[in-house]
């Protein structure tokens, strides 16, 4: 009943026909081709030190499958266009071909230049690719110093969704406009809950930061059968690799490692499940939502910051085939064909398509014998959705599952993220094609959230 992330570079789903025109993530024109017939994509896919930018680019260029071979949107030009951190048009090349960035790499003068270099990393066919501006470009150190960080008031209440104090990850720097997200900095609102039992501790559920004091998670993460495994004691802030409490580092693609600051193990002050969670006749996880109040104030850093809460019910105005993002540390498919799972040590994410209530209800009623209780026993149920829930997913091999419970279902608009839903439950095995996952819809619970939070 808890979710896992099933993630691969390319997903198995419908797409474009071979030879059809398409557009790459950088807005270059391309043609849908088999991966092995696209020299540029093959070079990125076989890079020795493939970065998260490379993997995101490959994922977004996916345009279908020819048998078991993925197809990609293959660029028409050998040159990869890009946008520099200061919003200038550039070309994605090896850093040694870009004089002014190579000089920064060898001897950065200040923090502004270092951030500029990190935000210049781009997805391209060459190793250590960066977005290089036109000939004669340079980094204006003086102008970098004038871009002051956004000042956000420390508060227990969620920030205004219209401000820059929520929903912005490392793809939008406080100091430099533009840039691309790095895996280690993505989704800085994600947290993991640590459970204690006797002398042992376990990481069992996720959640997300909504202010400097509060985390949202699922009701079943703090109440019910899960408490047999342990009591929630800590929330990990700024987490990336769960096997390491110190700073985590990944390749930035610019010749220098990109490192975080290590985790903060924030002690839980209070756990507040929704008052109607686990009430009689509530078999389908209605009101599956809870607040966690921290004893410490969560700092605002590059790796720790809140996500925005919705101003409207986004499910009422989503475009056709809209895809949400789900992220977490749950299990993923090591071998999708043979259903072999592996627990993830690092933060993963996956795109899942929105499924409206009517379609979701019909799909879930077709598998009445696959619902699993926490003890593994299968029972026959007739699932009935209600307005406090929404559905997403149903693509084979792309899902959330055990370990991702409580994590956000994210709506992204112009690089700002809103927590539209929360991972709640699913039916049967994770990642089964045609069967969406069920999420708590955050919008109907805004009055309860605001009334429960205290400064």
């Amino acid at each position: 009943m808890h979710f896992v992330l099933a993630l691969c570079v390319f997903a198995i789903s419908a797409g474009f026909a071979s030879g059809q025109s398409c557009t790459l993530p950088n807005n270059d024109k391309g043609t849908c081709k088999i991966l092995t017939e696209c020299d540029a994509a093959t070079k990125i896919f076989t890079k020795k030190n493939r970065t998260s930018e490379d993997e995101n680019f490959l994922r977004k260029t996916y345009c279908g499958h020819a048998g078991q071979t993925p197809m990609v949107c293959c660029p028409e030009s050998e040159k990869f266009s890009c946008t520099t951190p200061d919003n200038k048009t550039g070309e994605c090349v090896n850093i040694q071909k870009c004089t002014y960035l190579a000089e920064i790499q060898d001897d950065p003068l200040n923090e502004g230049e270092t951030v500029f270099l990190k935000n210049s990393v781009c997805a391209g066919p060459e190793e250590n690719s960066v977005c290089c501006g036109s000939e004669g470009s340079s980094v204006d150190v003086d102008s970098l110093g004038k871009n002051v960080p956004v000042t956000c008031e420390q508060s227990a209440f969620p920030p205004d969704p219209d401000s820059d104090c929520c929903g912005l990850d490392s793809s939008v720097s406080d100091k430099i406009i533009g840039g691309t997200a790095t895996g280690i900095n993505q989704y800085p609102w994600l947290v993991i809950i640590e459970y204690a039992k006797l002398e042992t501790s376990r990481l069992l559920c996720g959640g997300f930061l909504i202010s400097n004091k509060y985390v949202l998670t699922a009701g079943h993460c703090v109440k019910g059968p899960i408490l047999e495994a342990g009591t929630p004691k800590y929330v990990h802030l700024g987490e990336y690799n769960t096997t390491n409490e110190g700073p985590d580092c990944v390749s930035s693609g610019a010749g220098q490692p990109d490192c975080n600051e290590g985790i903060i193990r924030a002690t839980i002050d209070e756990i507040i499940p929704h008052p109607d969670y686990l009430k009689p006749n509530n078999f389908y996880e209605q009101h599956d939502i809870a607040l966690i109040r921290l004893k410490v104030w969560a700092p605002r850093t590059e790796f720790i910051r809140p996500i925005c809460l919705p101003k409207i019910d986004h499910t009422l105005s989503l475009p056709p085939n809209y895809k949400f993002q789900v992220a977490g540390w749950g299990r993923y498919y090591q071998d999708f064909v043979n259903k072999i799972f592996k627990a993830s040590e690092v933060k993963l994410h996956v795109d899942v398509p929105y499924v409206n209530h009517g379609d979701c209800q019909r799909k879930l009623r077709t598998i009445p014998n696959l619902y699993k209780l926490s003890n593994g026993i299968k029972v026959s149920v007739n699932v009935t959705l209600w307005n406090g829930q929404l559905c997403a997913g149903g693509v084979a091999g792309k899902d959330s599952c055990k370990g991702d419970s409580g994590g956000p279902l994210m709506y992204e608009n112009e690089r700002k993220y809103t927590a539209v839903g929360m991972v709640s439950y699913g039916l049967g095995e994770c990642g089964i094609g045609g069967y969406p996952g069920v999420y708590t819809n955050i919008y109907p619970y805004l009055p309860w959230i605001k009334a429960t939070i205290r400064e």
Side-chain angles (χ1 to χ4, degrees):
M1 112 151 96
H2 315 242
F3 277 93
V4 203
L5 207 58
L7 176 68
C8 53
V9 175
F10 299 107
I12 302 172
S13 63
F16 293 86
S18 180
Q20 187 173 341
S21 298
C22 53
T23 302
L24 282 84
N26 59 358
N27 292 321
D28 286 349
K29 298 299 181 183
T31 304
C32 189
K33 295 182 179 180
I34 293 174
L35 173 64
T36 53
E37 296 179 354
C38 180
D39 185 57
T42 300
K43 286 180 178 178
I44 296 177
F45 188 72
T46 57
K47 271 187 178 181
K48 183 179 180 181
N49 297 310
R50 198 166 65 210
T51 66
S52 60
E53 285 80 14
D54 292 327
E55 293 193 353
N56 286 337
F57 189 88
L58 287 170
R59 190 177 295 110
K60 292 178 180 179
T61 60
Y62 167 79
C63 57
H65 261 72
Q68 293 299 312
T69 305
M71 295 191 296
V72 295
C73 187
C74 190
E76 297 175 354
S77 171
E78 294 182 0
K79 294 183 177 181
F80 270 53
S81 63
C82 57
T83 303
T84 65
D86 51 356
N87 284 337
K88 297 177 182 177
T89 300
E91 182 182 347
C92 192
V93 298
N94 180 280
I95 191 170
Q96 297 304 321
K97 296 179 181 179
C98 188
T99 304
Y100 71 98
L101 290 181
E103 290 175 351
I104 293 177
Q105 180 190 28
D106 293 336
D107 185 24
L109 296 178
N110 57 26
E111 183 184 357
E113 286 194 334
T114 301
V115 174
F116 191 97
L117 178 63
K118 287 167 60 176
N119 284 348
S120 295
V121 174
C122 57
E126 301 183 49
E127 294 287 347
N128 299 326
S129 293
V130 292
C131 189
C132 188
S134 59
E135 187 175 350
S137 295
S138 62
V139 178
D140 186 345
V141 178
D142 292 334
S143 67
L144 290 178
K146 293 175 183 177
N147 287 321
V148 296
V150 174
T151 300
C152 299
E153 179 184 356
Q154 180 175 270
S155 174
F157 291 92
D160 181 352
D162 291 331
S163 73
D164 288 337
C165 293
C166 65
L168 300 180
D169 67 10
S170 60
S171 65
V172 183
S173 170
D174 283 340
K175 295 185 178 179
I176 299 172
I177 298 172
T180 56
T182 59
I184 201 167
N185 297 353
Q186 277 187 294
Y187 316 121
W189 37 84
L190 283 182
V191 306
I192 300 182
I193 303 172
E194 180 180 337
Y195 296 72
K197 185 174 184 180
L198 300 177
E199 301 299 321
T200 63
S201 64
R202 300 172 65 185
L203 304 175
L204 299 177
C205 264
F208 48 99
L209 201 65
I210 60 169
S211 73
N212 297 105
K213 265 290 185 182
Y214 283 88
V215 164
L216 264 183
T217 188
H220 73 259
C221 286
V222 298
K223 191 173 181 179
I226 197 169
L227 299 182
E228 297 174 9
T231 303
K233 290 292 185 182
Y234 303 99
V235 168
H236 290 203
L237 306 175
E239 183 67 273
Y240 178 72
N241 187 329
T242 60
T243 65
N244 178 36
E245 289 200 11
D248 298 316
C249 296
V250 298
S251 172
S252 70
Q256 295 180 342
D258 194 4
C259 301
N260 66 12
E261 300 165 347
I263 68 166
I264 294 176
R265 293 174 79 241
T267 303
I268 293 175
D269 182 38
E270 186 179 8
I271 296 173
I272 316 163
H274 191 279
D276 291 326
Y277 178 66
L278 282 188
K279 288 289 181 71
N281 303 317
N282 184 16
F283 190 77
Y284 314 115
E285 302 288 8
Q286 290 186 6
H287 309 296
D288 189 16
I289 188 170
L291 281 164
I292 294 178
R293 179 179 170 88
L294 307 177
K295 278 193 174 181
V296 299
W297 290 95
R300 178 184 170 85
T301 72
E302 187 178 356
F303 311 99
I304 303 172
R305 56 182 65 181
I307 191 172
C308 296
L309 294 182
K311 293 178 62 178
I312 61 172
D313 187 346
H314 288 278
T315 64
L316 301 178
S317 58
L318 290 173
N321 302 315
Y322 182 82
K323 292 183 179 180
F324 293 110
Q325 290 83 44
V326 185
W329 290 265
R331 298 182 302 165
Y332 67 95
Y333 279 119
Q334 188 176 35
D335 182 343
F336 177 71
V337 175
N338 297 308
K339 299 292 189 295
I340 298 175
F341 292 96
K342 182 179 179 181
S344 177
E345 297 175 350
V346 299
K347 191 187 305 181
L348 301 176
H349 68 162
V350 66
D351 297 333
V352 288
Y354 171 64
V355 180
N356 66 50
H357 256 229
D359 289 343
C360 185
Q361 183 71 82
R362 285 188 291 273
K363 290 175 185 292
L364 297 185
R365 280 179 177 165
T366 64
I367 50 171
N369 297 311
L370 289 183
Y371 190 87
K372 283 187 177 182
L373 296 175
S374 57
N375 60 8
I377 297 175
K378 292 183 179 180
V379 294
S380 179
V381 298
N382 190 6
V383 176
T384 301
L385 299 172
W386 72 300
N387 63 3
Q389 296 168 322
L390 63 92
C391 296
V395 177
K398 301 183 74 174
D399 200 359
S400 47
C401 225
K402 290 183 181 175
D404 295 320
S405 285
L409 182 73
M410 296 174 282
Y411 171 85
E412 185 264 334
N413 181 38
E414 296 183 351
R415 302 166 80 179
K416 175 175 267 195
Y417 291 87
T418 298
V420 170
M422 176 193 300
V423 178
S424 182
Y425 74 91
L427 301 180
E429 300 294 337
C430 306
I432 297 178
Y435 301 118
V438 180
Y439 297 76
T440 299
N441 187 351
I442 301 296
Y443 182 74
Y445 291 99
L446 291 180
W448 173 75
I449 292 171
K450 293 175 182 178
T452 305
I453 286 177
R454 56 185 174 82
E455 193 66 49

